[in-house]
Amino acid sequence: MADSQQVRLLDRNHCVLLVIDVQERFRPVIDRFEDIVKRCNILVKGAKRLGIPVLVSEQYPKGLGATVTEISETLSETEIPMAKMGFSALSSYELNDKLRSLGKKQLLICGLETHVCVLQTAMECLGYFPKGVYLAVDAVSSRQPAERELAIRRMESAGIRLVSSEGALFEWLRTAESPEFKDLQSLVK
């Protein structure tokens, strides 16, 4: 199992959470939008409680609006969403620099749209995170469910590791003896 593709659990000491383009204009057109917002917010709240850095991107905010209030209200003053025009979050120099400066070895991604911005970001990030790029599959969506499913299959076959939002929280915790256990457990009840 020394293979670099071996399955690794998410580790809160090595992980960064990236929330991609969960913006207001997507609300009426994205499949299961409200559930995606809820799942992304669970991850944001959990990451913040565990001291895991949270980065947020916004695709062309002048046209697509800001990050939804449910998530933006959870962010601190230093977790300002970063605008981008390219589909990959790495196309934002600000976000790219911030992501690399953190020096983390794992990346967990959630957000929109699975087959465009999420996929392109995940694929481009594969070479930068030696302990893996992870996708919270229940916290991503597209306008068409078929587009989402195809993108998830593509990412998995490229080596992106799949996890659920609740699974990610409990991997970050590792044990019910963790001082944050009850607090994080309350997020998924």
Side-chain angles (χ1 to χ4, degrees):
M1 295 288 276
D3 182 85
S4 64
Q5 291 300 313
Q6 76 186 34
V7 176
R8 291 186 172 97
L9 296 174
L10 285 164
D11 183 332
R12 70 195 220 181
N13 298 310
H14 296 291
C15 196
V16 60
L17 173 65
L18 176 57
V19 182
I20 299 176
D21 308 345
V22 185
Q23 294 164 258
E24 200 54 52
R25 288 270 173 93
F26 285 125
R27 194 177 294 271
V29 296
I30 295 293
D31 184 49
R32 300 174 25 257
F33 186 84
E34 298 304 325
D35 188 48
I36 299 308
V37 169
K38 177 183 173 189
R39 298 286 172 188
C40 288
N41 216 13
I42 286 169
L43 289 169
V44 169
K45 288 176 180 179
K48 290 173 63 68
R49 290 177 185 167
L50 293 170
I52 296 167
V54 176
L55 299 179
V56 180
S57 71
E58 291 179 340
Q59 178 70 30
Y60 182 56
K62 287 181 184 177
L64 295 174
T67 299
V68 296
T69 306
E70 298 94 319
I71 292 173
S72 64
E73 287 179 344
T74 307
L75 302 174
S76 72
E77 292 178 12
T78 61
E79 297 164 333
I80 299 166
M82 292 169 258
K84 64 184 182 66
M85 290 297 289
F87 298 125
S88 170
L90 296 183
S91 69
S92 161
Y93 293 116
E94 181 185 15
L95 194 143
N96 194 339
D97 288 346
K98 181 86 171 178
L99 193 60
R100 291 172 194 248
S101 72
L102 292 170
K104 299 296 182 178
K105 296 179 181 181
Q106 288 180 331
L107 175 67
L108 176 60
I109 297 174
C110 62
L112 305 172
E113 278 193 81
T114 315
H115 66 295
V116 184
C117 298
V118 171
L119 179 133
Q120 289 185 32
T121 301
M123 296 293 212
E124 285 193 15
C125 286
L126 272 172
Y128 299 113
F129 293 90
K131 291 191 175 201
V133 175
Y134 293 75
L135 180 70
V137 294
D138 60 342
V140 296
S141 193
S142 296
R143 285 166 286 150
Q144 300 297 321
E147 294 281 10
R148 174 187 177 275
E149 296 308 316
L150 176 60
I152 289 170
R153 287 199 322 261
R154 270 189 76 195
M155 286 185 271
E156 184 178 31
S157 70
I160 290 146
R161 298 170 178 141
L162 307 183
V163 66
S164 68
S165 54
E166 186 172 335
L169 290 180
F170 287 100
E171 285 182 32
W172 285 336
L173 283 172
R174 284 291 198 281
T175 176
E177 296 175 323
S178 171
E180 303 92 354
F181 172 71
K182 287 187 187 241
D183 196 25
L184 266 63
Q185 185 183 34
S186 70
L187 294 175
V188 294
K189 280 189 171 181

